[in-house]
């Protein structure tokens, strides 16, 4: 898909040298974008912070001391486990209910389909943060779900973007497939499970990747609902460490950066491995290929 | 199935069952809270023990009046305006230029794309940590600048705190907007570029006359989404500037909502801020669509 269009702009430029310039400029930009990540890792490995330019390219003396330090200040394993449970719960809800809703919106004619689709689009423009007060009132004050995984997960249980992606993929499947299955006497649930779902496996991966970074990186909501440290995801534990404890530590930045590396690594690793899935055209074009 | 029930429920009523969890979720986590926010904002609302019935008298626009008179609230809205003035133009220009360039490169494509997207998939909390390290008083940026380093330093300087936050968010979110533009660029007709080059248009000219108008609807979306990001601002002022400092120079409306609603126990005024914020976002979105979709 992308390869057919990759030469588009070069057709309008007459001199081949220009391409080298733009690639070079993109490279420099890319290094600027990546530098903070590199510096995060280097900083996390230095026992004493060296903030001079030379310190960014150390020749030795790197140590894992800061990782031990942050682990002694906050329970890393516990926080990672909490992040995992929070993210896993959101993923499970999003995939199960998202597939059902996406399939219904794409393939089934039922009363209220148009309304549901309109509301789904509307949800995208009213951002979650603006609803924090009423949702906080509901979850924490009315239902008493503070300091629980349920309280963390519920507001993110189904991701509207994921429903939309599933709908687009199901919509792209050929009609004949469904009429054939219906002629064979298969029920809707069976058609969904054994005909449609295997064909939209790429959508499952896309949705899992898109949904993963939400709860894994989320700070504000788990920060509001969890006061109990043993339930906080890593993003919250690390943020609390940054704002409260860091001042008293011997090399606060080293420990903070070590925590940052641990928090960033899973999302970055997943993204790098599956980066092809992160193209918007892939999402919008469905399963054409 | 009888024709009558088919008329009421639709041809495939099973769809109702399939869509029900999502519909209930939208009602419970979107529609109801939105209504509740508006309701709370018109009442004298305070937190009570679960299950306790307490009087919550209707107070009309009193919460709104309180909020609009509050200098902290006004300031927080001005800060977002400042944020948007820096963030939105920078985002639109950089994302479109980078997407155009990325679209045309053939070598190292994967490496280049990954480099620009990776901040987007990384947690703000983790990225904030590096920026704190880079922009602290003795940090690398000041080490390089030497005597040119600002005093007071970046994040504790009331004139520089908000621009740094805007820069941070631009860097963090840019990958997502590049993605949107890359998708939009696939729909710009190749013939237009060819006829532009036949007409002797150079690269800059064909960019201005073909690419920019060709991705106009994507630009509308980018501006709206960037505005929503600005309206949502919380984590960055909270962590980068240690709670909206210095002296409240980098507070945001959501941050003030958090302070007033949850820390100080005034969900009614906090809800009023939320409602005003939603109205502002909708107004900006509408105006933006009107301007960008003209002619």
């Amino acid at each position: 898909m992308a390869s057919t269009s990759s030469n588009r702009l070069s057709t309008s430029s007459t001199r081949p040298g220009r391409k080298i310039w733009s690639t070079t400029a993109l490279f420099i930009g890319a290094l600027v974008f990546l530098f903070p990540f590199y510096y995060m890792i280097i900083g996390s490995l230095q026992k004493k912070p060296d903030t001079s330019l030379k310190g960014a390219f150390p020749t030795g003396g790197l140590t894992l001391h800061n990782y031990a330090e942050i682990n002694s200040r906050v329970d890393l394993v516990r926080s990672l486990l909490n992040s995992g449970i929070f993210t896993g719960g959101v993923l499970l809800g999003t995939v199960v209910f998202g597939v059902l809703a996406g399939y219904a919106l794409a393939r089934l004619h039922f009363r209220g389909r148009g309304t549901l689709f309109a509301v789904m689009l509307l949800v995208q423009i009213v951002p979650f943060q603006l609803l924090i007060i009423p949702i906080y009132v509901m979850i924490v004050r009315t239902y008493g779900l503070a300091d629980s995984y349920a309280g963390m997960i519920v507001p993110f249980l189904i991701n509207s973007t994921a429903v939309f992606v599933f709908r687009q993929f199901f919509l792209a499947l050929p009609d004949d497939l469904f009429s054939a299955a219906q002629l064979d006497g298969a029920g809707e649930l069976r058609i969904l499970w054994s005909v449609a779902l295997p064909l939209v496996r790429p959508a499952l991966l896309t949705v899992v990747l898109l949904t993963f970074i939400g709860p894994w990186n989320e700070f504000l909501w788990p920060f509001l609902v969890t006061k109990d440290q043993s339930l906080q995801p890593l993003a919250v534990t690390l943020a609390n460490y940054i704002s409260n404890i860091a001042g008293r530590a011997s090399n606060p930045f080293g420990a903070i950066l070590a925590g940052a590396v641990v928090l960033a690594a899973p999302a970055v690793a997943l993204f790098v491995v599956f980066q092809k899935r992160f193209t918007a055209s892939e999402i919008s074009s469905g399963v054409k290929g | 199935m009888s024709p009558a029930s088919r008329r009421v429920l639709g041809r495939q009523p099973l769809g109702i069952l399939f869509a029900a969890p999502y519909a209930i979720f939208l009602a419970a986590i979107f529609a109801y809270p939105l209504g509740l926010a508006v309701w709370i904002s018109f009442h004298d609302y305070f937190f009570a023990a679960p299950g306790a019935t307490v009087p919550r008298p209707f107070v009309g626009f009193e919460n709104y009046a309180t909020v609009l008179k509050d200098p902290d609230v006004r300031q927080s809205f001005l800060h977002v305006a400042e944020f948007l003035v820096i963030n939105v133009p920078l985002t639109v220009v950089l994302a479109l230029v980078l997407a155009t360039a990325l679209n045309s490169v053939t070598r190292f494509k994967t490496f280049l794309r990954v480099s620009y997207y990776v901040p987007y998939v990384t947690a703000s909390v983790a990225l904030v940590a590096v920026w704190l390290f880079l922009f602290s008083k003795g940090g690398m940026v000041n080490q390089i600048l030497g005597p040119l380093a600002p005093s007071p330093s970046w994040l504790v300087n009331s004139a520089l705190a908000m621009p740094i936050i805007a820069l941070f968010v631009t860097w963090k979110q840019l990958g997502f907007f590049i993605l949107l533009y890359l998708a939009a660029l696939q729909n710009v007709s190749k013939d237009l570029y060819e006829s532009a080059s036949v007409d002797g248009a150079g690269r800059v000219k064909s960019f201005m006359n073909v690419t920019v108008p060709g991705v106009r609807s994507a630009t509308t979306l980018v501006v709206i989404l960037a505005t929503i990001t600005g309206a949502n601002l919380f984590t960055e002022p909270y962590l980068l500037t240690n709670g909206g400092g210095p002296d409240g120079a980098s507070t945001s409306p959501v941050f003030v909502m958090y302070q007033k609603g949850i820390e100080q126990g005034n969900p009614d005024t906090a809800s009023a801020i939320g409602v005003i914020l939603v109205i502002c976002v909708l107004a900006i979105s509408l105006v933006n669509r009107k301007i960008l979709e003209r002619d």
Side-chain angles (χ1 to χ4, degrees), chain A residues 24-248:
Chain A
T24 311
L26 277 173
F27 252 102
I28 295 167
L31 294 181
V32 171
F33 262 63
L34 287 181
F35 180 75
F37 287 87
Y38 166 79
Y39 203 47
M40 187 196 282
I41 296 168
I42 288 298
S44 77
L45 294 173
Q46 286 173 327
K47 192 159 184 185
K48 268 200 177 143
D50 180 355
T51 54
S52 71
L53 194 57
K54 222 174 77 207
F57 306 97
T59 43
L62 298 181
T63 152
L64 289 174
H65 169 266
N66 291 318
Y67 290 83
E69 170 76 15
I70 186 77
N71 194 33
S72 71
R73 302 278 171 159
V74 305
D75 192 341
L76 267 188
V77 176
R78 181 81 218 188
S79 303
L80 278 170
L81 186 70
N82 292 336
S83 290
I85 293 172
F86 176 31
T87 308
V90 172
L91 279 177
L92 190 69
T94 294
V95 168
V96 172
F97 299 124
V99 161
L100 286 172
Y103 183 74
L105 282 168
R107 287 277 153 200
L108 303 175
H109 296 268
F110 60 93
R111 191 170 184 94
R113 183 168 85 153
T115 316
L116 187 61
F117 187 63
V119 174
M120 182 177 91
L121 295 181
L122 198 71
V123 174
Q124 319 272 2
I125 44 169
V126 175
F128 177 72
Q129 256 86 325
L130 309 183
L131 298 174
I132 51 160
I133 298 292
I135 292 182
Y136 180 82
V137 167
M138 283 165 56
I139 301 257
V140 175
R141 299 285 164 167
T142 311
Y143 298 114
L145 290 175
D147 282 322
S148 72
Y149 292 119
M152 254 185 270
I153 294 168
V154 163
F156 299 98
L157 189 61
I158 311 178
N159 182 319
S160 287
T161 311
V163 177
F164 188 75
V165 172
F166 280 130
R167 176 189 173 268
Q168 297 307 96
F169 273 81
F170 282 126
L171 217 50
L173 295 178
D175 287 329
D176 300 347
L177 211 74
F178 290 88
S179 11
Q182 263 157 4
L183 277 180
D184 289 344
E188 284 305 338
L189 204 58
R190 190 173 163 81
I191 295 179
L192 169 60
W193 184 256
S194 16
V195 180
L197 216 49
L199 288 171
V200 295
R201 231 174 261 148
L204 284 175
L205 187 58
T206 303
V207 165
V208 167
L209 291 170
L210 281 175
T211 314
F212 179 88
I213 58 172
W216 187 268
N217 295 345
E218 176 68 22
F219 164 66
L220 178 56
W221 181 249
F223 167 71
L224 291 183
V225 288
T226 55
K227 294 291 163 248
D228 181 353
Q229 247 193 8
S230 67
L231 280 167
Q232 287 170 340
L234 184 55
V236 179
T237 336
L238 186 62
N240 284 342
Y241 182 75
I242 291 174
S243 50
N244 300 329
I245 317 161
R248 278 177 271 140

Side-chain angles (χ1 to χ4, degrees), chain B residues 135-265:
Chain B
F135 285 92
S136 65
K137 192 159 177 272
M140 185 193 238
V141 176
N142 283 351
Q143 294 276 345
I144 292 170
L145 289 176
L148 292 171
S151 170
S153 187
W154 305 94
L155 296 164
V156 289
N157 185 321
S158 51
L160 293 171
M162 211 56 212
I164 292 286
I165 289 173
L167 214 63
F168 174 86
V169 175
T170 308
W171 169 67
K172 161 114 178 77
Q173 298 292 96
L174 204 65
F176 174 73
F177 295 115
I178 291 175
L179 213 80
L180 277 180
Y181 272 129
L182 271 172
L185 285 172
Q186 313 308 314
N187 298 325
V188 181
S189 156
K190 204 175 171 179
D191 301 345
L192 287 175
Y193 287 107
E194 267 156 22
S195 59
S197 96
V198 168
D199 290 346
R203 201 164 171 166
V204 173
K205 240 188 169 154
S206 73
F207 177 79
M208 294 310 287
N209 295 329
V210 180
T211 310
V212 172
V215 298
R216 186 175 291 182
S217 59
T219 303
T220 314
L221 190 63
V222 169
V223 174
I224 291 173
L225 291 177
T227 310
I228 293 174
T229 308
N232 266 322
L233 204 61
F234 175 84
T235 310
E236 293 76 13
Y238 181 80
L239 289 175
L240 264 183
T241 57
N242 200 12
D247 274 338
S250 62
T251 56
S252 70
V254 175
F255 180 78
V256 177
M257 276 168 75
Y258 161 74
Q259 276 186 321
K260 291 197 184 305
I262 290 158
E263 279 190 340
Q264 299 162 13

Side-chain angles (χ1 to χ4, degrees), chain B residues 81-147:
Chain B
E82 187 186 349
F83 172 91
L84 293 178
V85 165
I86 301 170
N87 173 266
V88 173
L90 210 57
T91 299
V92 170
V93 172
L94 283 178
L96 183 52
V97 169
L98 286 171
T100 309
L102 280 172
N103 200 31
S104 69
V105 294
T106 38
R107 301 186 65 194
F108 312 110
K109 204 147 115 186
T110 306
F111 168 76
L112 291 171
R113 287 189 181 196
V114 166
S115 316
Y116 289 105
Y117 299 163
V118 84
Y120 170 67
V121 299
T122 311
S124 267
V125 174
L127 298 178
V128 156
V130 204
W131 278 56
L132 282 171
F133 189 40
L134 277 166
F135 285 92
S136 65
K137 192 159 177 272
M140 185 193 238
V141 176
N142 283 351
Q143 294 276 345
I144 292 170
L145 289 176

